[in-house]
Amino acid sequence: MDKILIDGGVPLRGSVAASGAKNAALPIIAASLLAEGEHRIRNVPDLADVRTLGRLLGHMGCQAERNAGEKGALWVRVPAAVEPEAPYELVKTMRASVVVLGPLVARWGKARVSMPGGCAIGARPIDQHLKGLAALGAELHLEHGYVEATAPRGRLHGATFTFDGQTVTGTENVMMAAVLAEGETLLRNCAREPEIVDLADALRGMGARIEGDGTDDIWIEGVESLRPIDHVVIADRIEAGTFLVAGALPGGDVTVKGCVPAHVEALVEKLRTVGAQVLPVEGGLRVVGDGRPRPVDVRTGPHPGFPTDMQAQMMVLLCLADGSSKITETVFENRFMHVQELQRLGADIAVDGKTAVLKGVPGLSGAPVMASDLRASAALVLAGLAAQGTTEVHRVYHLDRGYERIEEKLAPLGARIRREKA
Ligand code: EPU
């Protein structure tokens, strides 16, 4: 297993570009199952999760290929008939694979998708995906660890459905099912993340009729068929946010290109509160870290709240603050796995249920640490950049699921970072 080695204590300076958003690319790639033909999806990050979804589409009889000549373009060929199955072996490595369920049952009238299990950050049920699909008329059976879904008479029908709680991939799954259903659908209490808006944009480009994405209520008028996708994926606000935090570390000065300011507002507000300067520049944002951060309390929440996917990275900044901060995680039940690793670097953090209380320390000191999940890994890299001495981040495969060659992006900013192949 690869590891990342960082000789920390050097403030980062320079410019870095955000890649395409993993969490927008994945559902958009799954949306290709809604139409036969050749789909072109651009600005797709080259990540383990994207390759896993490509393998899953391959298992169904489609072809997903990167076009070497066209940077970041993924071509997906969907044949006249697919094998509508997502096997356990692939779903277990990436729970987001469940986003194929809606498109499969909508377009092909049936689907057999392995139930994703729990994961390092919590239980992560899919009850809302299933309730939403059932409201559209899907018949669902859970057997041998699989969800088997069928559309009676081959087509779903429109309906009004209210999500019990906001779910990002749940909203995406049901939205993708409704675009080919017969009649109108009103989805209420939808998640409002920018990735949902990007998916809706891609679907509209295919001929779908959707309004209200980005708000609580999404209205969809089903159409009989869709054309292939030709879409450019939005920039990754979480990767961008990770680099913004790197710039906010003491002495940092980092410009993140491609970052959409409206997508990172909650983070930027907190960065300004801790004393970093955040300046709009052409095509992105520049962050200048100003000495030791001031403490601030953070509470995660669905968009436009502070993203749970930035909680671990923000924690690194607050570990170094000149005073005490509190971080409350409201989205996932078990997303403090990074705390014990940060403690190994000298952070002073106490966790009580959903809240972590941080007493800022003047500095961290490098040590070997173990990544537990994707965003926790990113936090450990940031902590290693700030810490004096050498930090070794193990289990880097978590990081590779969501960050495109992070060491190659950080090194030009002055980071002394390298990957050691296993
Ligand atoms: N939930 C339910 N029932 C459901 C679905 C969700 O109770 O049917 C609960 C979850 O257990 C959780 C909350 O609702 O407590 C929110 O979960 P959500 O469904 O919104 O999460 P997700 O769609 O599984 C996506 C991202 C995650 C990100 C969350 C929250 C993708 C592929 N994944 O997951 O990204 O943390 O939204 O913003 O879009 C990551 O990239 O590192 C990552 C984990």
Side-chain angles (χ1 to χ4, degrees), residues 22-23 26-27 95-96 121 123-129 166-170 172 193 237 308-309 330-333 335 374-375:
K22 166 180 86 80
N23 289 348
L26 293 173
R95 62 182 322 291
I121 61 177
R124 307 186 75 179
I126 56 160
D127 57 302
Q128 296 303 307
H129 304 229
Q166 289 185 8
T167 154
V168 178
T169 48
E172 291 165 348
E193 271 64 7
R237 67 193 165 101
T308 172
D309 288 347
T330 74
V331 179
F332 289 112
E333 59 200 14
R335 211 174 196 183
L374 167 53
R375 307 303 169 186

PDB file of all heavy atoms in Angstrom, residues 22-23 26-27 95-96 121 123-129 166-170 172 193 237 308-309 330-333 335 374-375, ligand 1:
ATOM      1  N   LYS A  22     -15.752  14.972  -8.133  1.00  0.00           N
ATOM      2  CA  LYS A  22     -16.066  13.533  -8.033  1.00  0.00           C
ATOM      3  C   LYS A  22     -17.566  13.317  -7.823  1.00  0.00           C
ATOM      4  O   LYS A  22     -18.189  12.508  -8.512  1.00  0.00           O
ATOM      5  CB  LYS A  22     -15.288  12.929  -6.855  1.00  0.00           C
ATOM      6  CG  LYS A  22     -15.783  11.546  -6.428  1.00  0.00           C
ATOM      7  CD  LYS A  22     -15.005  10.984  -5.265  1.00  0.00           C
ATOM      8  CE  LYS A  22     -15.471  11.393  -3.888  1.00  0.00           C
ATOM      9  NZ  LYS A  22     -16.630  10.671  -3.353  1.00  0.00           N
ATOM     10  N   ASN A  23     -18.138  14.033  -6.861  1.00  0.00           N
ATOM     11  CA  ASN A  23     -19.524  13.745  -6.486  1.00  0.00           C
ATOM     12  C   ASN A  23     -20.553  14.285  -7.475  1.00  0.00           C
ATOM     13  O   ASN A  23     -21.736  13.997  -7.349  1.00  0.00           O
ATOM     14  CB  ASN A  23     -19.808  14.252  -5.067  1.00  0.00           C
ATOM     15  CG  ASN A  23     -19.081  13.401  -4.027  1.00  0.00           C
ATOM     16  OD1 ASN A  23     -18.563  12.330  -4.358  1.00  0.00           O
ATOM     17  ND2 ASN A  23     -19.026  13.876  -2.800  1.00  0.00           N
ATOM     18  N   LEU A  26     -19.843  11.277 -10.640  1.00  0.00           N
ATOM     19  CA  LEU A  26     -20.366   9.911 -10.450  1.00  0.00           C
ATOM     20  C   LEU A  26     -21.838   9.788 -10.857  1.00  0.00           C
ATOM     21  O   LEU A  26     -22.169   8.937 -11.690  1.00  0.00           O
ATOM     22  CB  LEU A  26     -20.145   9.442  -9.002  1.00  0.00           C
ATOM     23  CG  LEU A  26     -18.681   9.234  -8.590  1.00  0.00           C
ATOM     24  CD1 LEU A  26     -18.570   8.940  -7.095  1.00  0.00           C
ATOM     25  CD2 LEU A  26     -18.030   8.108  -9.390  1.00  0.00           C
ATOM     26  N   PRO A  27     -22.748  10.626 -10.340  1.00  0.00           N
ATOM     27  CA  PRO A  27     -24.141  10.478 -10.790  1.00  0.00           C
ATOM     28  C   PRO A  27     -24.322  10.801 -12.272  1.00  0.00           C
ATOM     29  O   PRO A  27     -25.184  10.204 -12.926  1.00  0.00           O
ATOM     30  CB  PRO A  27     -24.923  11.458  -9.893  1.00  0.00           C
ATOM     31  CG  PRO A  27     -23.915  12.371  -9.310  1.00  0.00           C
ATOM     32  CD  PRO A  27     -22.620  11.620  -9.258  1.00  0.00           C
ATOM     33  N   ARG A  95     -19.815   2.877  -2.216  1.00  0.00           N
ATOM     34  CA  ARG A  95     -21.251   2.836  -1.954  1.00  0.00           C
ATOM     35  C   ARG A  95     -22.036   3.766  -2.886  1.00  0.00           C
ATOM     36  O   ARG A  95     -23.224   3.552  -3.117  1.00  0.00           O
ATOM     37  CB  ARG A  95     -21.553   3.077  -0.489  1.00  0.00           C
ATOM     38  CG  ARG A  95     -21.135   4.404   0.030  1.00  0.00           C
ATOM     39  CD  ARG A  95     -21.417   4.534   1.487  1.00  0.00           C
ATOM     40  NE  ARG A  95     -22.656   3.915   1.938  1.00  0.00           N
ATOM     41  CZ  ARG A  95     -23.872   4.343   1.643  1.00  0.00           C
ATOM     42  NH1 ARG A  95     -24.025   5.387   0.848  1.00  0.00           N
ATOM     43  NH2 ARG A  95     -24.931   3.748   2.136  1.00  0.00           N
ATOM     44  N   ALA A  96     -21.354   4.774  -3.469  1.00  0.00           N
ATOM     45  CA  ALA A  96     -22.048   5.661  -4.412  1.00  0.00           C
ATOM     46  C   ALA A  96     -22.535   4.911  -5.652  1.00  0.00           C
ATOM     47  O   ALA A  96     -23.335   5.444  -6.425  1.00  0.00           O
ATOM     48  CB  ALA A  96     -21.140   6.814  -4.821  1.00  0.00           C
ATOM     49  N   ILE A 121     -17.777   6.136   8.156  1.00  0.00           N
ATOM     50  CA  ILE A 121     -18.310   7.369   8.730  1.00  0.00           C
ATOM     51  C   ILE A 121     -19.728   7.231   9.264  1.00  0.00           C
ATOM     52  O   ILE A 121     -20.285   8.186   9.770  1.00  0.00           O
ATOM     53  CB  ILE A 121     -18.223   8.557   7.735  1.00  0.00           C
ATOM     54  CG1 ILE A 121     -19.019   8.312   6.454  1.00  0.00           C
ATOM     55  CG2 ILE A 121     -16.768   8.870   7.415  1.00  0.00           C
ATOM     56  CD1 ILE A 121     -19.014   9.499   5.493  1.00  0.00           C
ATOM     57  N   ALA A 123     -23.720   4.660   9.441  1.00  0.00           N
ATOM     58  CA  ALA A 123     -24.562   3.553   8.955  1.00  0.00           C
ATOM     59  C   ALA A 123     -24.941   3.744   7.482  1.00  0.00           C
ATOM     60  O   ALA A 123     -24.933   2.811   6.712  1.00  0.00           O
ATOM     61  CB  ALA A 123     -25.814   3.473   9.802  1.00  0.00           C
ATOM     62  N   ARG A 124     -25.274   4.936   7.093  1.00  0.00           N
ATOM     63  CA  ARG A 124     -25.589   5.303   5.715  1.00  0.00           C
ATOM     64  C   ARG A 124     -26.641   4.408   5.036  1.00  0.00           C
ATOM     65  O   ARG A 124     -26.377   3.728   4.043  1.00  0.00           O
ATOM     66  CB  ARG A 124     -24.309   5.392   4.871  1.00  0.00           C
ATOM     67  CG  ARG A 124     -23.288   6.310   5.520  1.00  0.00           C
ATOM     68  CD  ARG A 124     -22.094   6.547   4.677  1.00  0.00           C
ATOM     69  NE  ARG A 124     -22.344   7.444   3.570  1.00  0.00           N
ATOM     70  CZ  ARG A 124     -21.420   7.806   2.696  1.00  0.00           C
ATOM     71  NH1 ARG A 124     -20.199   7.327   2.797  1.00  0.00           N
ATOM     72  NH2 ARG A 124     -21.708   8.626   1.719  1.00  0.00           N
ATOM     73  N   PRO A 125     -27.869   4.439   5.573  1.00  0.00           N
ATOM     74  CA  PRO A 125     -28.946   3.655   4.951  1.00  0.00           C
ATOM     75  C   PRO A 125     -29.365   4.239   3.594  1.00  0.00           C
ATOM     76  O   PRO A 125     -28.991   5.373   3.266  1.00  0.00           O
ATOM     77  CB  PRO A 125     -30.100   3.797   5.955  1.00  0.00           C
ATOM     78  CG  PRO A 125     -29.824   5.061   6.699  1.00  0.00           C
ATOM     79  CD  PRO A 125     -28.328   5.233   6.722  1.00  0.00           C
ATOM     80  N   ILE A 126     -30.144   3.486   2.812  1.00  0.00           N
ATOM     81  CA  ILE A 126     -30.662   4.007   1.524  1.00  0.00           C
ATOM     82  C   ILE A 126     -32.193   3.960   1.503  1.00  0.00           C
ATOM     83  O   ILE A 126     -32.804   3.917   0.435  1.00  0.00           O
ATOM     84  CB  ILE A 126     -30.079   3.249   0.300  1.00  0.00           C
ATOM     85  CG1 ILE A 126     -30.337   1.742   0.390  1.00  0.00           C
ATOM     86  CG2 ILE A 126     -28.604   3.543   0.110  1.00  0.00           C
ATOM     87  CD1 ILE A 126     -30.216   1.048  -0.976  1.00  0.00           C
ATOM     88  N   ASP A 127     -32.795   3.979   2.702  1.00  0.00           N
ATOM     89  CA  ASP A 127     -34.258   3.877   2.774  1.00  0.00           C
ATOM     90  C   ASP A 127     -34.958   4.978   1.966  1.00  0.00           C
ATOM     91  O   ASP A 127     -35.999   4.728   1.351  1.00  0.00           O
ATOM     92  CB  ASP A 127     -34.724   3.913   4.236  1.00  0.00           C
ATOM     93  CG  ASP A 127     -34.245   5.178   4.955  1.00  0.00           C
ATOM     94  OD1 ASP A 127     -33.029   5.402   4.999  1.00  0.00           O
ATOM     95  OD2 ASP A 127     -35.087   5.945   5.454  1.00  0.00           O
ATOM     96  N   GLN A 128     -34.377   6.181   1.932  1.00  0.00           N
ATOM     97  CA  GLN A 128     -35.047   7.281   1.221  1.00  0.00           C
ATOM     98  C   GLN A 128     -34.977   7.090  -0.296  1.00  0.00           C
ATOM     99  O   GLN A 128     -35.900   7.480  -1.016  1.00  0.00           O
ATOM    100  CB  GLN A 128     -34.440   8.631   1.611  1.00  0.00           C
ATOM    101  CG  GLN A 128     -34.646   8.972   3.074  1.00  0.00           C
ATOM    102  CD  GLN A 128     -36.118   8.972   3.454  1.00  0.00           C
ATOM    103  OE1 GLN A 128     -36.938   9.635   2.813  1.00  0.00           O
ATOM    104  NE2 GLN A 128     -36.475   8.206   4.457  1.00  0.00           N
ATOM    105  N   HIS A 129     -33.887   6.499  -0.777  1.00  0.00           N
ATOM    106  CA  HIS A 129     -33.794   6.191  -2.217  1.00  0.00           C
ATOM    107  C   HIS A 129     -34.945   5.229  -2.556  1.00  0.00           C
ATOM    108  O   HIS A 129     -35.638   5.397  -3.558  1.00  0.00           O
ATOM    109  CB  HIS A 129     -32.496   5.466  -2.569  1.00  0.00           C
ATOM    110  CG  HIS A 129     -31.224   6.161  -2.184  1.00  0.00           C
ATOM    111  ND1 HIS A 129     -30.189   6.325  -3.070  1.00  0.00           N
ATOM    112  CD2 HIS A 129     -30.790   6.705  -1.025  1.00  0.00           C
ATOM    113  CE1 HIS A 129     -29.177   6.948  -2.469  1.00  0.00           C
ATOM    114  NE2 HIS A 129     -29.527   7.177  -1.219  1.00  0.00           N
ATOM    115  N   GLN A 166     -32.861  15.242   4.218  1.00  0.00           N
ATOM    116  CA  GLN A 166     -32.164  15.562   2.968  1.00  0.00           C
ATOM    117  C   GLN A 166     -31.057  14.566   2.680  1.00  0.00           C
ATOM    118  O   GLN A 166     -30.239  14.274   3.546  1.00  0.00           O
ATOM    119  CB  GLN A 166     -31.585  16.966   3.045  1.00  0.00           C
ATOM    120  CG  GLN A 166     -32.672  18.006   2.992  1.00  0.00           C
ATOM    121  CD  GLN A 166     -32.123  19.410   2.954  1.00  0.00           C
ATOM    122  OE1 GLN A 166     -30.931  19.627   2.814  1.00  0.00           O
ATOM    123  NE2 GLN A 166     -33.006  20.378   3.083  1.00  0.00           N
ATOM    124  N   THR A 167     -31.075  14.037   1.480  1.00  0.00           N
ATOM    125  CA  THR A 167     -30.040  13.087   1.060  1.00  0.00           C
ATOM    126  C   THR A 167     -29.580  13.443  -0.353  1.00  0.00           C
ATOM    127  O   THR A 167     -30.412  13.637  -1.257  1.00  0.00           O
ATOM    128  CB  THR A 167     -30.515  11.619   1.131  1.00  0.00           C
ATOM    129  OG1 THR A 167     -29.767  10.829   0.188  1.00  0.00           O
ATOM    130  CG2 THR A 167     -31.989  11.438   0.828  1.00  0.00           C
ATOM    131  N   VAL A 168     -28.267  13.516  -0.523  1.00  0.00           N
ATOM    132  CA  VAL A 168     -27.711  13.946  -1.801  1.00  0.00           C
ATOM    133  C   VAL A 168     -27.917  12.861  -2.862  1.00  0.00           C
ATOM    134  O   VAL A 168     -28.611  13.076  -3.866  1.00  0.00           O
ATOM    135  CB  VAL A 168     -26.207  14.289  -1.644  1.00  0.00           C
ATOM    136  CG1 VAL A 168     -25.605  14.683  -2.994  1.00  0.00           C
ATOM    137  CG2 VAL A 168     -26.012  15.414  -0.630  1.00  0.00           C
ATOM    138  N   THR A 169     -27.347  11.682  -2.651  1.00  0.00           N
ATOM    139  CA  THR A 169     -27.490  10.649  -3.688  1.00  0.00           C
ATOM    140  C   THR A 169     -28.937  10.145  -3.765  1.00  0.00           C
ATOM    141  O   THR A 169     -29.375   9.694  -4.824  1.00  0.00           O
ATOM    142  CB  THR A 169     -26.521   9.462  -3.463  1.00  0.00           C
ATOM    143  OG1 THR A 169     -26.597   9.058  -2.113  1.00  0.00           O
ATOM    144  CG2 THR A 169     -25.088   9.837  -3.816  1.00  0.00           C
ATOM    145  N   GLY A 170     -29.682  10.246  -2.657  1.00  0.00           N
ATOM    146  CA  GLY A 170     -31.102   9.864  -2.693  1.00  0.00           C
ATOM    147  C   GLY A 170     -31.861  10.784  -3.647  1.00  0.00           C
ATOM    148  O   GLY A 170     -32.636  10.340  -4.498  1.00  0.00           O
ATOM    149  N   GLU A 172     -30.589  12.454  -6.058  1.00  0.00           N
ATOM    150  CA  GLU A 172     -30.099  12.200  -7.424  1.00  0.00           C
ATOM    151  C   GLU A 172     -30.744  10.943  -8.016  1.00  0.00           C
ATOM    152  O   GLU A 172     -31.184  10.938  -9.174  1.00  0.00           O
ATOM    153  CB  GLU A 172     -28.575  12.058  -7.396  1.00  0.00           C
ATOM    154  CG  GLU A 172     -27.899  13.382  -7.073  1.00  0.00           C
ATOM    155  CD  GLU A 172     -26.430  13.283  -6.663  1.00  0.00           C
ATOM    156  OE1 GLU A 172     -25.943  12.163  -6.393  1.00  0.00           O
ATOM    157  OE2 GLU A 172     -25.769  14.325  -6.593  1.00  0.00           O
ATOM    158  N   GLU A 193     -27.363  20.501  -2.876  1.00  0.00           N
ATOM    159  CA  GLU A 193     -25.928  20.617  -3.170  1.00  0.00           C
ATOM    160  C   GLU A 193     -25.691  20.991  -4.638  1.00  0.00           C
ATOM    161  O   GLU A 193     -26.470  20.600  -5.532  1.00  0.00           O
ATOM    162  CB  GLU A 193     -25.243  19.264  -2.873  1.00  0.00           C
ATOM    163  CG  GLU A 193     -24.744  19.078  -1.445  1.00  0.00           C
ATOM    164  CD  GLU A 193     -25.820  19.053  -0.368  1.00  0.00           C
ATOM    165  OE1 GLU A 193     -27.018  19.046  -0.708  1.00  0.00           O
ATOM    166  OE2 GLU A 193     -25.468  19.037   0.824  1.00  0.00           O
ATOM    167  N   ARG A 237     -15.709  21.306  -5.316  1.00  0.00           N
ATOM    168  CA  ARG A 237     -15.675  22.321  -4.246  1.00  0.00           C
ATOM    169  C   ARG A 237     -14.997  21.776  -2.993  1.00  0.00           C
ATOM    170  O   ARG A 237     -14.518  22.537  -2.167  1.00  0.00           O
ATOM    171  CB  ARG A 237     -17.100  22.826  -3.941  1.00  0.00           C
ATOM    172  CG  ARG A 237     -17.986  21.778  -3.331  1.00  0.00           C
ATOM    173  CD  ARG A 237     -19.461  22.175  -3.320  1.00  0.00           C
ATOM    174  NE  ARG A 237     -20.260  20.993  -3.051  1.00  0.00           N
ATOM    175  CZ  ARG A 237     -20.783  20.715  -1.872  1.00  0.00           C
ATOM    176  NH1 ARG A 237     -20.633  21.530  -0.864  1.00  0.00           N
ATOM    177  NH2 ARG A 237     -21.476  19.598  -1.705  1.00  0.00           N
ATOM    178  N   THR A 308     -20.064  18.660   5.568  1.00  0.00           N
ATOM    179  CA  THR A 308     -19.442  17.603   6.371  1.00  0.00           C
ATOM    180  C   THR A 308     -18.134  17.142   5.722  1.00  0.00           C
ATOM    181  O   THR A 308     -17.195  16.747   6.410  1.00  0.00           O
ATOM    182  CB  THR A 308     -20.403  16.408   6.565  1.00  0.00           C
ATOM    183  OG1 THR A 308     -19.697  15.343   7.188  1.00  0.00           O
ATOM    184  CG2 THR A 308     -21.004  15.910   5.265  1.00  0.00           C
ATOM    185  N   ASP A 309     -18.059  17.225   4.390  1.00  0.00           N
ATOM    186  CA  ASP A 309     -16.850  16.781   3.684  1.00  0.00           C
ATOM    187  C   ASP A 309     -15.663  17.722   3.906  1.00  0.00           C
ATOM    188  O   ASP A 309     -14.556  17.427   3.458  1.00  0.00           O
ATOM    189  CB  ASP A 309     -17.121  16.658   2.176  1.00  0.00           C
ATOM    190  CG  ASP A 309     -18.000  15.463   1.853  1.00  0.00           C
ATOM    191  OD1 ASP A 309     -18.191  14.603   2.728  1.00  0.00           O
ATOM    192  OD2 ASP A 309     -18.505  15.397   0.718  1.00  0.00           O
ATOM    193  N   THR A 330     -23.292  17.124  12.279  1.00  0.00           N
ATOM    194  CA  THR A 330     -24.714  16.756  12.351  1.00  0.00           C
ATOM    195  C   THR A 330     -25.143  15.830  11.215  1.00  0.00           C
ATOM    196  O   THR A 330     -26.252  15.332  11.221  1.00  0.00           O
ATOM    197  CB  THR A 330     -25.624  18.022  12.287  1.00  0.00           C
ATOM    198  OG1 THR A 330     -25.621  18.510  10.950  1.00  0.00           O
ATOM    199  CG2 THR A 330     -25.170  19.103  13.252  1.00  0.00           C
ATOM    200  N   VAL A 331     -24.283  15.629  10.207  1.00  0.00           N
ATOM    201  CA  VAL A 331     -24.722  14.860   9.031  1.00  0.00           C
ATOM    202  C   VAL A 331     -24.449  13.364   9.214  1.00  0.00           C
ATOM    203  O   VAL A 331     -25.314  12.526   8.959  1.00  0.00           O
ATOM    204  CB  VAL A 331     -24.055  15.392   7.745  1.00  0.00           C
ATOM    205  CG1 VAL A 331     -24.499  14.587   6.528  1.00  0.00           C
ATOM    206  CG2 VAL A 331     -24.371  16.865   7.548  1.00  0.00           C
ATOM    207  N   PHE A 332     -23.246  13.025   9.661  1.00  0.00           N
ATOM    208  CA  PHE A 332     -22.896  11.612   9.845  1.00  0.00           C
ATOM    209  C   PHE A 332     -22.625  11.339  11.316  1.00  0.00           C
ATOM    210  O   PHE A 332     -22.156  12.220  12.046  1.00  0.00           O
ATOM    211  CB  PHE A 332     -21.695  11.230   8.986  1.00  0.00           C
ATOM    212  CG  PHE A 332     -22.021  11.183   7.519  1.00  0.00           C
ATOM    213  CD1 PHE A 332     -21.492  12.104   6.630  1.00  0.00           C
ATOM    214  CD2 PHE A 332     -22.902  10.230   7.018  1.00  0.00           C
ATOM    215  CE1 PHE A 332     -21.808  12.079   5.280  1.00  0.00           C
ATOM    216  CE2 PHE A 332     -23.236  10.196   5.659  1.00  0.00           C
ATOM    217  CZ  PHE A 332     -22.689  11.114   4.798  1.00  0.00           C
ATOM    218  N   GLU A 333     -22.888  10.111  11.725  1.00  0.00           N
ATOM    219  CA  GLU A 333     -22.826   9.803  13.155  1.00  0.00           C
ATOM    220  C   GLU A 333     -21.419   9.493  13.664  1.00  0.00           C
ATOM    221  O   GLU A 333     -21.160   9.543  14.848  1.00  0.00           O
ATOM    222  CB  GLU A 333     -23.755   8.625  13.458  1.00  0.00           C
ATOM    223  CG  GLU A 333     -23.380   7.396  12.668  1.00  0.00           C
ATOM    224  CD  GLU A 333     -24.514   6.385  12.569  1.00  0.00           C
ATOM    225  OE1 GLU A 333     -25.651   6.755  12.873  1.00  0.00           O
ATOM    226  OE2 GLU A 333     -24.233   5.238  12.176  1.00  0.00           O
ATOM    227  N   ARG A 335     -18.116  10.591  12.266  1.00  0.00           N
ATOM    228  CA  ARG A 335     -17.129  11.163  11.355  1.00  0.00           C
ATOM    229  C   ARG A 335     -16.022  11.898  12.113  1.00  0.00           C
ATOM    230  O   ARG A 335     -15.585  12.963  11.701  1.00  0.00           O
ATOM    231  CB  ARG A 335     -17.795  12.077  10.334  1.00  0.00           C
ATOM    232  CG  ARG A 335     -17.038  12.053   9.024  1.00  0.00           C
ATOM    233  CD  ARG A 335     -17.701  12.809   7.917  1.00  0.00           C
ATOM    234  NE  ARG A 335     -17.098  12.395   6.650  1.00  0.00           N
ATOM    235  CZ  ARG A 335     -17.401  12.899   5.484  1.00  0.00           C
ATOM    236  NH1 ARG A 335     -18.318  13.825   5.390  1.00  0.00           N
ATOM    237  NH2 ARG A 335     -16.798  12.462   4.393  1.00  0.00           N
ATOM    238  N   LEU A 374     -11.864   9.004   3.198  1.00  0.00           N
ATOM    239  CA  LEU A 374     -11.360   9.962   2.207  1.00  0.00           C
ATOM    240  C   LEU A 374     -11.023  11.336   2.786  1.00  0.00           C
ATOM    241  O   LEU A 374      -9.912  11.834   2.649  1.00  0.00           O
ATOM    242  CB  LEU A 374     -12.421  10.067   1.110  1.00  0.00           C
ATOM    243  CG  LEU A 374     -12.341  11.175   0.093  1.00  0.00           C
ATOM    244  CD1 LEU A 374     -10.985  11.197  -0.556  1.00  0.00           C
ATOM    245  CD2 LEU A 374     -13.426  10.955  -0.945  1.00  0.00           C
ATOM    246  N   ARG A 375     -11.987  11.979   3.424  1.00  0.00           N
ATOM    247  CA  ARG A 375     -11.744  13.356   3.877  1.00  0.00           C
ATOM    248  C   ARG A 375     -10.814  13.379   5.079  1.00  0.00           C
ATOM    249  O   ARG A 375     -10.067  14.341   5.279  1.00  0.00           O
ATOM    250  CB  ARG A 375     -13.059  14.063   4.168  1.00  0.00           C
ATOM    251  CG  ARG A 375     -14.050  14.019   3.008  1.00  0.00           C
ATOM    252  CD  ARG A 375     -13.492  14.603   1.715  1.00  0.00           C
ATOM    253  NE  ARG A 375     -14.370  14.314   0.571  1.00  0.00           N
ATOM    254  CZ  ARG A 375     -14.081  14.589  -0.681  1.00  0.00           C
ATOM    255  NH1 ARG A 375     -12.917  15.130  -1.017  1.00  0.00           N
ATOM    256  NH2 ARG A 375     -14.931  14.280  -1.642  1.00  0.00           N
TER     257      ARG A 375
HETATM  258  N1  EPU B   1     -29.644   9.030   4.982  1.00  0.00           N
HETATM  259  C1  EPU B   1     -30.690   8.274   5.418  1.00  0.00           C
HETATM  260  N2  EPU B   1     -31.411   7.554   4.499  1.00  0.00           N
HETATM  261  C2  EPU B   1     -31.114   7.578   3.175  1.00  0.00           C
HETATM  262  C3  EPU B   1     -30.032   8.344   2.741  1.00  0.00           C
HETATM  263  C4  EPU B   1     -29.309   9.080   3.655  1.00  0.00           C
HETATM  264  O1  EPU B   1     -30.985   8.221   6.615  1.00  0.00           O
HETATM  265  O2  EPU B   1     -31.800   6.895   2.398  1.00  0.00           O
HETATM  266  C5  EPU B   1     -28.868   9.830   5.947  1.00  0.00           C
HETATM  267  C6  EPU B   1     -27.387   9.414   5.999  1.00  0.00           C
HETATM  268  O3  EPU B   1     -27.200   8.329   6.863  1.00  0.00           O
HETATM  269  C7  EPU B   1     -26.732  10.681   6.490  1.00  0.00           C
HETATM  270  C8  EPU B   1     -27.590  11.774   5.843  1.00  0.00           C
HETATM  271  O4  EPU B   1     -28.815  11.168   5.487  1.00  0.00           O
HETATM  272  O5  EPU B   1     -26.820  10.776   7.882  1.00  0.00           O
HETATM  273  C9  EPU B   1     -26.998  12.441   4.624  1.00  0.00           C
HETATM  274  O6  EPU B   1     -26.530  11.453   3.724  1.00  0.00           O
HETATM  275  P1  EPU B   1     -26.573  11.637   2.144  1.00  0.00           P
HETATM  276  O7  EPU B   1     -27.490  10.624   1.582  1.00  0.00           O
HETATM  277  O8  EPU B   1     -26.813  13.061   1.800  1.00  0.00           O
HETATM  278  O9  EPU B   1     -25.094  11.232   1.756  1.00  0.00           O
HETATM  279  P2  EPU B   1     -24.681  10.470   0.431  1.00  0.00           P
HETATM  280  O10 EPU B   1     -25.576  10.893  -0.652  1.00  0.00           O
HETATM  281  O11 EPU B   1     -24.528   9.024   0.721  1.00  0.00           O
HETATM  282  C10 EPU B   1     -23.047  12.318  -0.447  1.00  0.00           C
HETATM  283  C11 EPU B   1     -21.606  12.389  -0.818  1.00  0.00           C
HETATM  284  C12 EPU B   1     -20.755  12.293   0.444  1.00  0.00           C
HETATM  285  C13 EPU B   1     -21.142  13.458   1.368  1.00  0.00           C
HETATM  286  C14 EPU B   1     -22.650  13.414   1.659  1.00  0.00           C
HETATM  287  C15 EPU B   1     -23.144  14.586   2.478  1.00  0.00           C
HETATM  288  C16 EPU B   1     -21.595  11.418  -3.019  1.00  0.00           C
HETATM  289  C17 EPU B   1     -21.180  10.306  -3.907  1.00  0.00           C
HETATM  290  N3  EPU B   1     -21.295  11.293  -1.734  1.00  0.00           N
HETATM  291  O12 EPU B   1     -23.234  11.056   0.192  1.00  0.00           O
HETATM  292  O13 EPU B   1     -19.410  12.445   0.047  1.00  0.00           O
HETATM  293  O14 EPU B   1     -20.442  13.379   2.574  1.00  0.00           O
HETATM  294  O15 EPU B   1     -23.391  13.400   0.417  1.00  0.00           O
HETATM  295  O16 EPU B   1     -22.878  15.782   1.842  1.00  0.00           O
HETATM  296  O17 EPU B   1     -22.149  12.402  -3.478  1.00  0.00           O
HETATM  297  C18 EPU B   1     -17.098  12.131   0.170  1.00  0.00           C
HETATM  298  O18 EPU B   1     -17.013  12.587  -0.977  1.00  0.00           O
HETATM  299  O19 EPU B   1     -16.097  11.980   0.920  1.00  0.00           O
HETATM  300  C19 EPU B   1     -18.413  11.788   0.701  1.00  0.00           C
HETATM  301  C20 EPU B   1     -18.575  10.958   1.730  1.00  0.00           C
END
